[in-house]
Amino acid sequence: TPTTTTTVASRTRFPDSIHNRQSSLLLRARKSNNDDDNLNNNNFLMDDYRDPTTGEILDPYRILKIPRDAPRQQIKQAYRNLSRRYHPDTLLHRDILPGSCNNPQDVRNHWERVKLSYEILSDPKQRKRFDRHEALHDPQAALQRAASQAVVGATVALGK
């Protein structure tokens, strides 16, 4: 099939396929430059860690009620404890709803958060990725955590 050519202002001839590819790349670049919310706030980094029901960014450490340096065994134990409490199948045998849940749908939503938190923290690669993206998403909070850990570490070292 013969390829047609396009003449550019500098009299250079490009095949149409190259010209079309360049223009589509320019359109994508313009679209991403117009998306200031995602670029400026780094929200796109945390898109994989959003609550499926509310859309807010999850903090799996807070949901599982564990420290950031918790070992895998502690993560698993916290997940099991919360599973016994919030699993939707346990609602069939209870008259009182767990935690601050007002209806069975709240229990299901909280269970989804617990399950997603465990999926993030139980996989070492996902956990590192979450920690890295969270630090990029909110660098001030990451610096505050690092500073408080340094103070605690220095205090413990002085006590020895």
Side-chain angles (χ1 to χ4, degrees):
T1 61
T3 57
T4 58
T5 57
T6 304
T7 305
V8 181
S10 66
R11 298 285 183 207
T12 307
R13 295 181 162 262
F14 294 106
D16 277 342
S17 60
I18 292 174
H19 180 68
N20 290 339
R21 195 172 349 156
Q22 287 175 339
S23 61
S24 68
L25 289 173
L26 285 172
L27 287 174
R28 276 191 236 147
R30 284 185 193 137
K31 182 180 178 190
S32 66
N33 286 340
N34 290 336
D35 198 4
D36 290 333
D37 292 336
N38 285 343
L39 290 176
N40 292 337
N41 296 332
N42 291 331
N43 285 338
F44 66 93
L45 293 174
M46 301 303 284
D47 281 345
D48 294 337
Y49 309 110
R50 292 194 182 276
D51 182 355
T53 56
T54 63
E56 69 183 39
I57 296 172
L58 291 177
D59 182 2
Y61 297 104
R62 185 180 52 79
I63 291 171
L64 293 179
K65 300 175 185 168
I66 56 172
R68 292 187 171 277
D69 58 348
R72 291 181 86 181
Q73 190 62 30
Q74 188 176 1
I75 294 169
K76 192 174 192 177
Q77 186 63 39
Y79 172 72
R80 285 183 176 173
N81 290 338
L82 290 171
S83 292
R84 284 188 210 112
R85 189 170 180 192
Y86 288 102
H87 196 281
D89 290 344
T90 62
L91 289 177
L92 301 174
H93 309 293
R94 289 188 182 174
D95 294 330
I96 300 173
L97 296 175
S100 61
C101 299
N102 296 323
N103 56 39
Q105 187 61 39
D106 286 349
V107 176
R108 285 186 197 92
N109 291 344
H110 192 72
W111 165 247
E112 288 297 321
R113 284 188 224 107
V114 168
K115 190 170 69 168
L116 183 60
S117 297
Y118 179 71
E119 289 172 3
I120 292 169
L121 296 181
S122 64
D123 181 21
K125 287 183 182 179
Q126 278 280 60
R127 185 176 181 178
K128 286 180 185 178
R129 184 173 174 232
F130 173 81
D131 290 340
R132 182 178 58 242
H133 286 187
E134 185 183 37
L136 291 172
H137 174 71
D138 192 1
Q140 184 176 8
L143 285 173
Q144 286 174 344
R145 280 193 302 271
S148 66
Q149 287 175 353
V151 168
V152 169
T155 305
V156 169
L158 286 174
K160 289 184 179 180

